[in-house]
Amino acid sequence: MAVRIHFTDDDLAQTRLAQAPDPMWEALLSMHMLQTDTASFVFGGWRQAVRRRLTAPLSALLRLAPPAGYSADFLTPAAGAGGLDAGVGALLSTPRQRLAHDLVELTRGGRRLPSWAGLLAGGDADAVRHLGRLHRHYFATALAPWWSRIRSRFDTERALHGRYLAEGDLGGLLNTLHSGLVWRRPVLELTGLGVDRDVHLDGRGLLVLPSYFCWRRPTLLKDPALPCVVVYPMPHETALSTTSGLRSLNALLGRTRAEILETVAGRGVTTTELAHDTGVAPATASHHVGILRKAGLLSTCRAGRVVLHTATPLGLALLDGR
């Protein structure tokens, strides 16, 4: 059994390797990992840290992403390739028909949905906004503190395989990504998914996306009418843990400033959000932000009505231990 993706000449010309990790896909796949105890060497420390911070509303969000079987396709819009803001924006604009279709599909597996799922299926504006807020909260809790490490590993993976596309060797790219991907021109087979079906790209092209939280086998969306993305697991040589890194950063910066730098990595955060996430008063968070900004580790800019703090390249390099 396999999923067979059929390419035309136009599809071959439009096949591309993702430029950056997709926060929507990483969120979905990390939700899967959070609900299991597999891959403890890589994800055990991360899993323990996130579970301690998981709130009841976030636990309800996980019901849309069961660790086995179908997960709601609308959680991974194509716009996620443009970053978290673009991905959440696309999530908020999901057509009502898509919301209803995916939630019905989830219930077919006997999955118990959140209490607000009925309103969400009907396209209720408040329920959709609630979903967007939960998604941002989940990213801040489960991914943001580790995002610089995820991005660093992604960049290494892309550099390793990007040369095939640069040389026009699509077969070389697709045959070296993962053992679960088999290229027999003009068909790419995904094995180990437990399903048997054919997907015809018909000129849409294919996006190949390395993922940190994808585990064991490649995956893709169930609905063949959606933009086709093949997500495959990046190899892992070390555990996703901040224990030693935080200990070193604590000694260098102090615990609160180290936590602030971890929190702002990979996204924009307000002072109020920083205070909440690190457990300090807003005035204290603002004081530490000023010190990190003067040290060149953090930058601050205005986005509409809010002021956002982000890590600078120097700050990210420090987090990565470079």
Side-chain angles (χ1 to χ4, degrees):
M1 293 174 54
V3 175
R4 293 167 295 276
I5 301 177
H6 298 261
F7 289 71
T8 65
D9 288 343
D10 287 341
D11 296 314
L12 294 174
Q14 295 186 60
T15 295
R16 58 225 185 267
L17 188 61
Q19 298 285 326
D22 186 322
M24 307 302 282
W25 270 105
E26 295 297 353
L28 173 70
L29 296 169
S30 68
M31 290 180 200
H32 293 172
M33 296 305 302
L34 196 58
Q35 297 174 81
T36 72
D37 290 313
T38 60
S40 58
F41 168 74
V42 177
F43 299 114
W46 166 84
R47 190 181 284 124
Q48 289 180 358
V50 174
R51 283 175 177 172
R52 286 195 299 266
R53 301 178 63 188
L54 207 62
T55 62
L58 289 184
S59 296
L61 176 64
L62 298 184
R63 296 178 191 169
L64 302 184
Y70 176 76
S71 292
D73 282 345
F74 62 71
L75 291 174
T76 51
L84 181 64
D85 288 342
V88 173
L91 184 65
L92 295 175
S93 301
T94 304
R96 182 184 61 80
Q97 294 83 355
R98 167 59 55 188
L99 293 170
H101 173 275
D102 291 2
L103 291 170
V104 168
E105 190 73 23
L106 271 174
T107 60
R108 287 176 180 164
R111 187 75 172 178
R112 186 167 65 93
L113 298 184
S115 59
W116 38 264
L119 292 173
L120 183 64
D124 179 79
D126 288 337
V128 173
R129 284 192 291 269
H130 179 64
L131 175 64
R133 288 192 297 270
L134 282 180
H135 206 288
R136 285 190 180 276
H137 187 192
Y138 178 82
F139 185 90
T141 300
L143 293 176
W146 293 270
W147 195 250
S148 62
R149 290 167 173 77
I150 295 169
R151 179 59 195 255
S152 178
R153 183 65 195 87
F154 178 96
D155 289 343
T156 300
E157 179 73 8
R158 192 180 191 285
L160 179 64
H161 296 291
R163 59 188 176 89
Y164 290 107
L165 283 183
E167 297 169 358
D169 185 6
L170 179 62
L173 170 71
L174 297 177
N175 271 326
T176 57
L177 295 175
H178 190 270
S179 60
L181 294 171
V182 180
W183 171 246
R184 298 186 181 95
R185 185 185 177 104
V187 177
L188 177 66
E189 288 190 357
L190 282 71
T191 61
L193 299 181
V195 295
D196 190 82
R197 60 187 172 100
D198 292 272
V199 176
H200 294 269
L201 296 177
D202 295 328
R204 292 176 294 162
L206 174 72
L207 176 65
V208 179
L209 176 64
S211 168
Y212 198 98
F213 281 94
C214 189
W215 187 247
R216 290 188 177 175
R217 61 184 65 89
T219 189
L220 75 170
L221 297 172
K222 182 175 182 179
D223 190 342
L226 293 170
C228 196
V229 181
V230 167
V231 184
Y232 75 92
M234 294 188 283
H236 297 288
E237 297 176 355
T238 58
L240 183 63
S241 172
T242 60
T243 303
S244 60
L246 275 177
R247 196 156 48 229
S248 299
L249 282 179
N250 285 349
L252 179 65
L253 302 176
R255 182 187 64 81
T256 301
R257 285 195 284 275
E259 288 185 3
I260 286 175
L261 189 58
E262 288 271 341
T263 301
V264 301
R267 66 183 188 120
V269 185
T270 67
T271 301
T272 300
E273 290 170 335
L274 279 177
H276 176 269
D277 291 346
T278 57
V280 300
T284 302
S286 180
H287 169 73
H288 289 303
V289 163
I291 293 174
L292 291 170
R293 186 167 52 243
K294 289 178 181 178
L297 302 176
L298 183 151
S299 64
T300 300
C301 65
R302 178 172 292 278
R305 297 181 178 180
V306 299
V307 175
L308 299 177
H309 312 294
T310 58
T312 64
L314 178 61
L316 292 175
L318 180 63
L319 286 169
D320 288 335
R322 297 198 297 270

